[in-house]
Amino acid sequence: MVRTDIESVWILALASKCRAFTEENTAWSLLIIAAAWLVMTLIYWAHPGGPAWGKYRLKRFLIASKPIPGPRGLPLIGSMELMASSLAHHRIAAAAETCGAKRLMAFSLGNTRAIVTCNPDVAREILNSSVFADRPVKESAYSLMFNRAIGFAPYGIYWRTLRRIAANHLFHPKQIKSAEVQRQAIASQMVDIFGVYRQNFRVRDVLKRGSLNNMMCSIFGRKYRLDSTGCNINEVEELKALVDEGYDLLGKLNWSDHLQWLADFDPQKIRFRCSRLVPKVNRFVTRIIAEHRADTSEKTRDFVDVLLSLQGADNLSDSDMIAVLWEMIFRGTDTVAVLIEWILARLVLHPDIQSRVHDELDKVVGRSRAVEESDIPEMVYLPAVIKEVLRLHPPGPLLSWARLAINDTDIDGHHVPAGTTAMVNMWAITRDPDVWADPLEFMPERFVNKEGDVEFSVLGSDLKLAPFGSGRRTCPGKNLALTTVSFWVASLLHEFDWLPSDSNSVDLSEVLRLSCEMANPLSVTVRPRRGLDLSNCGKSSAWGTRFLHSPANTSPCIGPRKLL
Ligand code: HEM
């Protein structure tokens, strides 16, 4: 230390003697440094794909090898505007078209190198490659502890253990089947609520609440009624607020993730909001875990019980358990509700298709009873409708969360370095006329098999339509999601004719948050098909109005549903 100080003094003394540090020299030096920096910034930026790609390739002298085509964007920040949009999937598709890079496009998000494909063959190469088994972790995901949950956990033993536990318990076909009773109860409550309200109402809040209650029951063993009656009302409201806030934070493009020099300033207040949310989530989930530990009675096992019973290497710390449980609530809630809203919107918009679903329900179920889950495998047209909606309105148009290259690799003949973020634009693939005939037409028939045809699977084997992703990190909740969506849609369709509301026609505009939702929530009128007796519910109850237009906070009168 002393030596360094003495050396510095000598250098300064010499420099002053040499007159190297005159004001003029310093100004020139700064100017030269600034000019050099500007030139380098422009050189990096001039590279196809923008500054992050230019920096990587020029520093490694990869000038001769074929670059991946892509937009340059702006110096320093690259193409942040592509992802900052609420229609990122549209913008990326348009940019790929413009650059002639539908197979593979490179772009820069600040310092982050990204690639995206709008082609099913290249999508398969990316998603099924072991190199892309990791995920880029956003600051918000770290702050919300999601790096310890399945979706953001780094590829490795911990992630594999979590997937195995979830597959053996939460997503096991037996477990999915055993939750049928709860799905039935929620479907019945939804029918009651829609039957009360009947005219010109929004479906979204009820669907989201139903979906949340369903996950709360499977994960935490908590049974809430959709009308929020009883002492749980505060807990439901608290939970909903926590989920909404987390959803908003994870769905935002955080500029600090890609421009590290911004991180200290937290310009979008994302770190600040995460730091306020985490203790609330911890308190909420810790309370439920403690109640499970204290409860020694015989009851149906939920996912908390499963995690608490794990022994040896599988045993999770409390904080890891909180992350895993919280993620499941999170992932399982909105995706399902968003998809059902799109399905209902399409059926309102296409009454001819709706009446074909009704005909099928009448044939398979008959009007004398409600739908049961065992009816669904007998149906052909309803699954085709659901697939067609997944094609035109995939809830994760960019497959929700991107993948990260663990090692250097080659994709579609191009060198892709480790640390590159990879995305699949499933929305663009499913609307590509080279992949689907009449891609913009809503035609469920395309999924109705003719004699001898193999049924089209949306579970990830065919990348022409893989709304749940594919490969190692494919969605583990896909069977649970499809079971829930099919049953609830069948129940809602069996009970009602779905018509547009008087004031709002169906608007198919989209907004991409964490999932891709209808920008203008669906508003409908329903007409009972099976003669529901809802007389004891009071059609104009104040509750009905409040629940369907704002968060529920009063106790409604929901009577038992009777068949006339
Ligand atoms: C319509 C409903 C759903 C859709 C469209 C959907 C879609 C997706 C997609 C596209 C991915 C990324 C896959 C990939 O990278 O290849 C994903 C991952 C995931 N999903 Fe789903 N999902 C749905 C429902 C659910 C449900 C109900 C759950 C759980 C309760 C769930 C839990 C997860 C988890 C934990 C991951 C991360 C997997 C990993 O990284 O290993 N999802 N989902």
Side-chain angles (χ1 to χ4, degrees), residues 127 132-133 135 149-153 159 163 166 170-171 211 215 219 324 327-340 390 394-403 466-482 484-485 515:
L127 295 179
F132 288 97
R135 294 217 193 266
I150 298 179
F152 281 112
W159 168 80
R163 286 237 12 163
L170 191 60
F171 303 126
S211 195
M215 290 317 296
I219 307 288
V324 173
E327 181 192 43
M328 288 302 173
I329 298 289
F330 219 85
R331 296 286 313 170
T333 298
D334 273 64
T335 41
V336 165
V338 163
L339 178 56
I340 298 179
L390 280 167
L398 295 171
L399 292 193
S400 307
W401 295 331
R403 303 284 189 90
F468 298 98
S470 183
R472 285 177 170 73
R473 297 208 79 136
T474 182
C475 174
K478 53 195 172 187
N479 287 324
L480 173 62
L482 283 177
T484 310
V485 169
S515 303

Side-chain angles (χ1 to χ4, degrees), residues 56 70 140 163 217 245 280 347 377 436 456 478 559:
Y56 173 82
S140 54
R163 286 237 12 163
C217 192
E245 174 70 350
K280 292 182 194 163
L347 290 173
W436 293 93
F456 188 97
K478 53 195 172 187

